[in-house]
Amino acid sequence: MSEILLIAGVVIGVLMIFRTYVNGARCKSKEKLHGKTVIVTGSNTGIGRVTAVDLARRGARVILACRNQTRGQAAVDIVQRESRSKNVAYMELDLASLKSVRSFTETFLKTERRLDILINNAGVYMQGTTEDGFGLMFGVNHLGHFLLTNLLLDRLKECAPSRIVTVSSYLHNHGNLDFDTLRTHKEFGVGESFWNVFRIYSHSKLCNVLFTHELAKRLQGTHVTCYSLHPGAINSDLARNLNKMSRRLLKGIAALFFKDVEAGAQTTLHCAVQEGIEALSGRYFSNCAVQKVKAMAQDDAVAKKLWEVSETLSGLS
Ligand SMILES: NC(=O)c1ccc[n+]([C@@H]2O[C@H](COP(=O)([O-])OP(=O)(O)OC[C@H]3O[C@@H](n4cnc5c(N)ncnc54)[C@H](OP(=O)(O)O)[C@@H]3O)[C@@H](O)[C@H]2O)c1
Ligand SMILES: *[C@@H]1O[C@H](CO)[C@@H](O)[C@H](O)[C@H]1NC(C)=O
């Protein structure tokens, strides 16, 4: 009997140590954010909601920028309760619609006085088309956030020092930018197969890294800094659109080997609040530390071209 207990204890202990190891580094900053305003996109669930709770606990006014009012309002209640802060509000933002991005920023700029931290967190892992006819992953993960950031830049500059944090992914390593396809196929890659979706998602996450690279250059001297990051492999809702079998398989793997959403928010938080990382503006982070990226993800010419193409596609120029 006692042996069984001992073995069970050891197994639980090893699992707990293993989970701590899996969960990785934590944001160590104690920075408070009283009087500051933060936007977190896609914050009704997953990594975004945990990020919002932490920032509200630090005293920030937190705007949950989400596409569905019912889910957004439900998240306001949860974030207020978990952070013990009332200073949390929902504002409608559908990143799959450039019109929605514009009306969100209009409302935000009219009704809010400050913007100190913008967190581009929302993301999709599924095929589809945006309101404007772009591929859903390119449109939501990159183009919507590109327009959103640009329309909020003046306010961020007024409130500097301020930060822009964009949640990318390790999978950007598998991404590629084919500007010819982009000119002819607004989907930014076609096909519905597992590998098609994987590749197109990876392209969109490479865009996040290149966008941040170019943005940092454009922001030099403004005291607005920007960062992209990999949150880790996280047990969130992101795989909700996979087929049943892939979902079941992933669920088992995820429970053991993936970080929980709490751990998944740590690198975002590090980039948002850690003191003294300003000199690393434009860089890519993982596990709360700056990381090297492949040549294409820091290619000045590719980043500049992506910026110009995005300006045209989003109607900014
Ligand atoms: N989970 C991982 O292992 C992992 C790994 C690397 C990177 N990431 C990145 O981490 C970020 C957060 O993902 P997550 O894992 O927390 O996934 P999640 O639980 O699926 O959350 C994604 C959020 O994005 C929102 N969203 C989707 N489409 C939107 C749109 N058109 N407009 C506005 N919001 C939209 C979702 O809103 P709805 O609830 O309304 O759909 C949801 O709030 C994403 O950028 C993802 O690519 C995740
Ligand atoms: C918003 O979310 C709720 C709850 O998940 C759902 O019932 C409703 O259909 C959604 N509304 C839209 C417009 O998608």
Side-chain angles (χ1 to χ4, degrees), residues 23 42 45 75 121 154 168 183 199 223 234 253 259 264 300:
N23 274 334
T45 184
N121 164 82
D154 285 341
S168 173
R183 215 169 296 127
R199 276 189 40 247
H223 298 287
I234 311 302
I253 299 175
K259 297 184 188 184
D300 291 340

Side-chain angles (χ1 to χ4, degrees), residues 172 175-177 202-210 294 296-297:
H172 81 270
N176 202 345
L177 284 196
S202 304
H203 298 335
S204 76
K205 291 290 150 180
L206 176 60
C207 290
N208 291 153
V209 179
L210 285 164
K294 67 174 180 175
M296 192 189 203

Side-chain angles (χ1 to χ4, degrees), residues 24-38:
R26 298 196 66 85
C27 170
K28 293 199 180 71
S29 171
K30 298 267 180 286
E31 184 82 350
K32 291 282 180 254
L33 299 171
H34 298 284
K36 308 219 160 160
T37 301
V38 180

Side-chain angles (χ1 to χ4, degrees), residues 42-48 65-68 71 93-96 121-124 140-141 167-170 201 205 230-238 240 258:
S43 39
N44 55 286
T45 184
I47 300 169
C66 312
R67 61 176 160 174
N68 178 307
R71 291 201 290 267
L93 169 66
D94 181 358
L95 287 152
N121 164 82
V124 277
V140 171
N141 301 357
V167 182
S168 173
S169 166
Y170 172 78
Y201 176 81
K205 291 290 150 180
H230 170 56
I234 311 302
N235 196 0
S236 72
D237 290 341
L238 193 64
R240 76 188 92 161
F258 283 19

Side-chain angles (χ1 to χ4, degrees), residues 114-116 155-163 222-224:
R114 302 188 58 86
L115 179 58
D116 300 276
R155 177 63 60 85
L156 284 157
K157 286 178 190 165
E158 285 162 30
C159 299
S162 53
R163 293 186 186 188
T222 62
H223 298 287
V224 185

Side-chain angles (χ1 to χ4, degrees), residues 250-270:
L250 200 64
K251 220 174 176 178
I253 299 175
L256 201 55
F257 296 106
F258 283 19
K259 297 184 188 184
D260 54 45
V261 279
E262 186 76 39
Q266 297 306 313
T267 303
T268 299
L269 293 167
H270 178 83

